[in-house]
Amino acid sequence: MDNQVEKISSRQFQLLVLFFAIGSSILLTPPALINASLQDGWISGIIGVALGLSVIYIYVSLIKLNPGLSWFSILEKAFGTLVGRMISIFYFLFLFFLTCEVLSNLGDFMVTQIMVETPKMYIHMLFLIPVAYGVKQGIEVIARSAEVIYPTFIILLVFLVIFLIPEGQLVNLEPILGEGMKPVVKGALSTITVPYMEMFALILISTYVVEQTKIGKSFLVGGLAGGIILISLTFLIILVLGYSFSSHLPYPTYVLAKKINIADFLQRVEVVAAAVWIMSLFFKVLICFYSTVYGLGEILHVKNHTVLIFPLLVPILYFSVTIYPDIAFFTMFVNEVILSYTLLFGLFIPLLGLFSLKIKKKLHSKQSA
């Protein structure tokens, strides 16, 4: 995990942004949009993605103002050493619990839909083994793995979309804006929260990109592509299942895949959908855990960050089960809690930091003149 040795391309960074954007959002975003906006959930998704790209633009601006600096170094530069270090500790805690949260999303899905008799703890343990190995190998290996997995991911996703479109009914989309704009705006907030205001974690790995001038484009394109996939899935859920039925399902995307039926021959291919989600979830956990390890190493000034992997692995395994015990609690947490603190860490502090850095840059220019 040496910043002087490991390098990734702008395309690899773009793929990591894409997988991070889809990640757990592929399970959480469609039901959140449908519950908030009913048949207009896909419209909420479009607005949410547009606003989410604005959040990414703030992150890109911070990267361009501080090329080569990590997120924690940017915080210290913007707010001063003492305050910046204190804020960095809270960001580390955010990343730590975000890793627990995404891991818990996987466990909840597996034990409720596929492996119903398996304890959640064992699912997490088995999943964390390749995650820990990937983080130990470094960001370059993680990025290359994303390049290898990406074609399979896209092929499976396109397969699902193509065979689900004939099952849809346009009447399920009516009436458009039947409840007005208020529910639509409320639904858009859920898309901004997850995943866009969590993407500051990607600033931590942006320092490894070789083509620093292309980071902004890669960041925005990856975020847009991920958003389009989430909007498309939400649209398909409403089109095929209808909002009244899908709003009562914890994982409507999984139920959606059960509707594929080609000539009464090709059926029950929901495992394909599960494979798509597990791929994206795996990379999001990888990035979150990598950022957590990297962040703690930055705070403690540890040169070899890999020594922190196991000490962090144990508490993540513990808290992923205890803090988020089941899907019912997590749904309540997402609906009532997550927006408040994600706004603080994902929008307000980066925006304040950006203003602070621009003011300091202007003052420095005046002093130099």
Side-chain angles (χ1 to χ4, degrees), residues 20-21 25 29 32-33 44-56 58-59 94 184-200 227 230 284 338-339 342-348:
F20 189 94
S25 307
T29 299
L33 289 172
S44 289
I46 294 172
I47 297 172
V49 170
L51 295 174
L53 293 177
S54 302
V55 175
I56 291 178
I58 295 172
Y59 301 156
F94 185 104
V184 173
V185 174
K186 182 182 177 183
L189 289 175
S190 64
T191 308
I192 305 171
T193 307
V194 180
Y196 288 103
M197 285 194 293
E198 299 171 345
M199 285 189 174
F200 66 84
L230 295 176
K284 186 166 184 179
I338 196 171
L339 177 61
T342 308
L343 271 172
L344 175 64
F345 289 98
L347 181 61
F348 293 147

Side-chain angles (χ1 to χ4, degrees), residues 283-314:
F283 280 101
K284 186 166 184 179
V285 175
L286 259 177
I287 294 167
C288 290
F289 187 46
Y290 183 90
S291 301
T292 304
V293 173
Y294 182 94
L296 185 60
E298 285 275 301
I299 292 169
L300 299 179
H301 297 290
V302 176
K303 291 183 179 180
N304 183 12
H305 296 166
T306 56
V307 300
L308 300 172
I309 293 175
F310 183 75
L312 284 171
L313 206 62
V314 175

Side-chain angles (χ1 to χ4, degrees), residues 11-12 46 139 218 223 250 255 263 328 343 366:
R11 171 179 163 73
Q12 290 172 334
I46 294 172
I139 193 64
S218 298
V255 177
L343 271 172
K366 286 181 179 179

